[in-house]
Amino acid sequence: MKAINKGDFNGFVDDLIEKDEREVVGVQSKSNKFAFDPLHKAEDLRLDYDVTILPPKKYFMPQRETLVEYNLEEGETTPVNQVVPRIIMGVHPYDLVAIEQMDKVFEDTHEDPNYLEKRRQSVLVGVNMVNASEYSFAHTMGTATTDSGYDIMLTDIGDRYAIEVGSSKGSDLLEQAGNAVDDIEPEEAKKVRDTLEALPEKFRDDPKFDPLELPTLLKEYYGNDEFWEENAEECLSCGTCNLVCPTCYCFDVKDVNDISLSEGERLRTWDGCMLEAFAEVAGDENFREEKASRYRHRYMRKGRYMYDRFGDIACVGCGRCSEQCLPDIADPVDVFNQMKEGTS
């Protein structure tokens, strides 16, 4: 384990912004919210944030991206992958876990080159949390810390950052800091342990379930129509919970033709299972027309379907869905607690 003074770290980040060919992005303040955006100077980087509006998955799976360009007159079809090599600063552990889950999805069966090449061309600089959102239950989900998924992990230990290197990409990046990085002292290593051991105090203490109980609970509640109808009654079907979730990966694909109809592009855009049109198929049929069935599907997907497929609980406890839901009915803790209490 290494360490670097905070002043030297800022100088390191400024050097990366100025000299590295890759785009440097990081968490920045947006009024009273936080967001990942390109960095122009190190002093804008906020490593003490609670949660960002959108997860960093937007850099690997953009909200809107061109997959193919075509010209019908010339009979040409050209695959497109707009890859911007990046250094992404300040990724919390729960988002790192979510990215690892996304990697499995896009590597499975038919590899997705657009996603995977963006991942390969990115360096992830993680940071252990200083503050946690009031909605976050990452500790319950086991994602408040992680020992994988990062190239470099930072821990705030006062006037210095402790540094753990997780990959050769991280090691190469750290070399650019030069002599500013040195070996960590024993008392500093203890500060790291103390910081991580104190993390549970920062999170919600109201979850009553164990994450590994969720597949069984959801299986038992699948056919409880009354339960899902009551919980979904005030749902607006806006899809916000899908859009801010770090493990949601559904998308729509559409062709956009030029006005001449001779050329155009095939686009991929984010989609979500809570949207009314998500399950529409040919013949104007909709196999999840009722919002209660869409609401149920969201929870099944988080706590059961992905577990059956990959062994992952696809909720990392970030709390974004709870924070952004207008009618306040998207809180997984509330729903999972109800199921736990109903089976006790």
Side-chain angles (χ1 to χ4, degrees):
M1 189 179 293
K2 304 289 185 178
I4 186 171
N5 291 328
K6 288 184 175 179
D8 291 334
F9 178 77
N10 285 344
F12 167 53
V13 173
D14 279 328
D15 283 346
L16 290 176
I17 293 169
E18 180 182 354
K19 301 174 183 178
D20 201 289
E21 295 181 354
R22 294 166 290 191
E23 181 181 57
V24 181
V25 304
V27 179
Q28 300 170 57
S29 175
K30 304 293 180 180
S31 185
N32 63 339
K33 303 290 185 180
F34 296 95
F36 284 95
D37 261 338
L39 280 169
H40 301 292
K41 54 185 185 297
E43 66 183 71
D44 291 337
L45 179 62
R46 292 288 301 273
L47 297 181
D48 61 342
Y49 73 100
D50 53 2
V51 69
T52 56
I53 300 169
L54 288 178
K57 75 173 184 182
K58 66 181 182 178
Y59 294 114
F60 317 122
M61 183 186 174
Q63 293 98 319
R64 174 189 173 101
E65 67 174 322
T66 301
L67 299 179
V68 174
E69 293 177 344
Y70 52 87
N71 188 309
L72 300 180
E73 290 185 351
E74 299 179 7
E76 294 182 349
T77 302
T78 307
V80 177
N81 193 358
Q82 298 168 328
V83 179
V84 177
R86 290 187 175 94
I87 302 169
I88 304 175
M89 296 273 184
V91 185
H92 276 172
Y94 52 78
D95 277 333
L96 291 168
V97 173
I99 290 170
E100 288 188 293
Q101 291 188 14
M102 295 272 286
D103 292 348
K104 294 179 186 178
V105 170
F106 286 102
E107 289 173 346
D108 187 55
T109 310
H110 300 289
E111 291 189 351
D112 189 303
N114 284 59
Y115 174 93
L116 294 174
E117 187 59 27
K118 292 179 178 67
R119 277 287 286 118
R120 282 190 281 266
Q121 295 291 332
S122 297
V123 177
L124 299 181
V125 179
V127 62
N128 282 309
M129 283 170 278
V130 174
N131 296 300
S133 163
E134 63 179 294
Y135 300 94
S136 180
F137 54 105
H139 172 62
T140 297
M141 304 308 294
T143 60
T145 61
T146 183
D147 57 7
S148 64
Y150 55 83
D151 298 300
I152 290 176
M153 176 63 80
L154 305 174
T155 303
D156 190 328
I157 53 173
D159 59 350
R160 305 236 285 172
Y161 289 116
I163 304 172
E164 294 179 77
V165 176
S167 72
S168 58
K169 287 195 294 185
S171 181
D172 292 343
L173 182 69
L174 203 58
E175 284 185 5
Q176 297 185 52
N179 294 331
V181 176
D182 55 25
D183 292 330
I184 197 167
E185 299 294 331
E187 63 271 17
E188 291 179 320
K190 183 178 184 303
K191 285 184 181 180
V192 174
R193 292 193 297 272
D194 292 344
T195 297
L196 299 183
E197 288 173 1
L199 271 178
E201 300 174 5
K202 299 180 183 294
F203 297 98
R204 295 171 60 174
D205 60 2
D206 56 336
K208 298 178 174 63
F209 54 88
D210 183 307
L212 294 180
E213 294 179 296
L214 297 180
T216 301
L217 288 174
L218 286 161
K219 183 178 181 179
E220 292 179 6
Y221 268 79
Y222 183 88
N224 191 333
D225 293 342
E226 183 179 357
F227 176 83
W228 300 110
E229 288 167 2
E230 288 179 357
N231 277 283
E233 185 175 358
E234 297 182 17
C235 178
L236 302 176
S237 297
C238 66
T240 299
C241 55
N242 297 138
L243 299 181
V244 301
C245 178
T247 68
C248 278
Y249 58 84
C250 290
F251 57 84
D252 191 14
V253 175
K254 60 186 71 176
D255 291 338
V256 180
N257 294 312
D258 182 75
I259 194 171
S260 67
L261 301 182
S262 63
E263 59 183 6
E265 58 183 353
R266 177 161 292 175
L267 297 176
R268 171 158 70 183
T269 58
W270 286 3
D271 204 353
C273 61
M274 294 299 290
L275 299 174
E276 187 173 356
F278 180 81
E280 286 185 353
V281 295
D284 292 328
E285 294 295 328
N286 189 332
F287 54 87
R288 281 194 217 106
E289 188 172 9
E290 301 299 325
K291 63 183 179 181
S293 66
R294 298 193 295 275
Y295 188 91
R296 177 182 63 188
H297 177 79
R298 175 186 173 231
Y299 284 96
M300 291 290 165
R301 189 265 180 197
K302 297 299 175 190
R304 183 181 170 196
Y305 299 154
M306 296 301 288
Y307 182 82
D308 289 345
R309 185 174 177 187
F310 295 112
D312 294 326
I313 301 297
C315 174
V316 294
C318 66
R320 288 183 176 99
C321 57
S322 306
E323 183 173 359
Q324 299 298 331
C325 180
L326 291 176
D328 193 22
I329 49 87
D331 186 358
V333 171
D334 182 44
V335 174
F336 294 152
N337 279 350
Q338 289 181 53
M339 289 190 293
K340 174 64 175 178
E341 291 168 353
T343 58
S344 297

